[in-house]
Amino acid sequence: MTAAAGAVHAVASVAELVSRVREGRYGADPAEQRISVAFLTSQAVRHGGRASGYRNEVLSLRLAEAVGSCAVEPGALPGDALDGCVGADIGQLLAHPLPAVRTAALDAYLSHVLPHTPAHGARPVPLPAGSSLLKSRARARAVVSLLPPAPAVRRVLVVGVVNSLLEQLRERGTDYVPCDLKGGSTEWGEHVRTDTHAELDRCDALLVSGMTLGNGTFTPLLEHARATAKPLVLFAQTGSAVLPRFVGSGVTAVSAEPYPFFWLDGGPGVLHHYSTAGGGAGRPAGTA
């Protein structure tokens, strides 16, 4: 089976996807694909005009021309995590004890064999050059555009709070429930819930961070979307090449953003949209 042929078949679970990779169903033996570079990106940000900031930390693994990534809580990875990845093959890393390493390895492999191209279901969406806030807002518009419009969607469960996404929902008049394991409050003083599952029945669509793939909370959300036929849209820096494989199997759309992410560079960038409509349903990101 060629990579293009394998790409058209959605998977039901992460375990099924890993099994396909191990079997070489995507055209490359994972035991022969070795990680050449492993690196950690640590970022602190406070956009101009915003009242609060945040920190990010992302583990990335390079396989040939591709980079796979998984976000982690700052300081969560042991000091020797990078050393254990360099020179290891994908087959080994898919069995690594750290979920972040397993996720980044799977993402690197799939980014290599199923790059973000129209042949594999992706539609490029340009991001403009500009300040960190301008690019954040442009990205948010592109992501939110993948949600069905009102009245089909009245209240969105947002898992992984990004203030620019909430801002876009507010601008289009869509109610939302912000959820994040970190808790806290939004830019507008709204309480951020930490028990996502307690909020599921209150919402008729889900807007979910790819970080759920790395922290083990993705599968219950996927199962809820399948059981209820609610739209599930993912914005993915973590697992940008992994999560598109679920489109049509509980996932409505994915805005995939492989490394380097929008917050790393002031120049123009690109998102890759996948959707059940084919090739991504979002409008161009435009400018702020």
Side-chain angles (χ1 to χ4, degrees), residues 39-43 58 60 69 130 132 135 237 257-267:
F39 58 99
L40 199 60
T41 305
S42 185
Q43 173 224 26
V58 183
S60 297
S69 297
S132 62
K135 294 189 74 172
Q237 294 177 345
E257 187 181 356
Y259 193 94
F261 313 124
F262 81 90
W263 37 267
L264 283 168
D265 192 299

Side-chain angles (χ1 to χ4, degrees), residues 157-161 177-180 196 206-210 212 217 221 235:
L157 180 67
V158 181
V159 182
V161 170
V177 177
C179 289
D180 199 295
T196 298
L206 289 75
L207 183 60
V208 176
S209 167
T212 57
T217 60
L221 298 171
F235 52 101

Side-chain angles (χ1 to χ4, degrees), residues 217-271:
T217 60
F218 169 65
T219 296
L221 298 171
L222 177 67
E223 291 174 346
H224 177 81
R226 284 195 189 123
T228 60
K230 292 179 182 178
L232 170 55
V233 173
L234 296 154
F235 52 101
Q237 294 177 345
T238 292
S240 71
V242 176
L243 293 170
R245 310 283 72 82
F246 292 88
V247 171
S249 183
V251 171
T252 307
V254 175
S255 181
E257 187 181 356
Y259 193 94
F261 313 124
F262 81 90
W263 37 267
L264 283 168
D265 192 299
V270 63
L271 305 174

Side-chain angles (χ1 to χ4, degrees), residues 66-158:
V67 175
S69 297
C70 181
V72 296
E73 290 300 317
L77 286 178
D80 61 352
L82 299 182
D83 295 333
C85 296
V86 176
D89 66 62
I90 294 295
Q92 293 171 317
L93 295 180
L94 290 176
H96 197 280
L98 293 176
V101 173
R102 297 196 300 271
T103 300
L106 181 61
D107 192 35
Y109 176 87
L110 292 171
S111 294
H112 176 54
V113 298
L114 298 174
H116 296 295
T117 64
H120 299 133
R123 182 177 72 82
V125 178
L127 288 180
S131 69
S132 62
L133 182 57
L134 185 149
K135 294 189 74 172
S136 178
R137 283 172 166 164
R139 170 185 179 251
R141 277 197 299 276
V143 170
V144 169
S145 76
L146 292 170
L147 286 166
V153 171
R154 292 184 173 86
R155 180 182 290 129
V156 178
L157 180 67
V158 181

Side-chain angles (χ1 to χ4, degrees), residues 171-213:
E171 286 189 3
R172 80 175 202 167
T174 301
D175 192 14
Y176 57 81
V177 177
C179 289
D180 199 295
L181 293 176
K182 296 178 182 178
S185 60
T186 72
E187 181 75 9
W188 301 272
E190 300 150 326
H191 174 64
V192 176
R193 278 75 165 181
T194 56
D195 187 352
T196 298
H197 303 290
E199 308 295 337
L200 284 170
D201 291 337
R202 297 180 55 205
C203 302
D204 47 21
L206 289 75
L207 183 60
V208 176
S209 167
M211 286 186 68
T212 57
L213 186 65

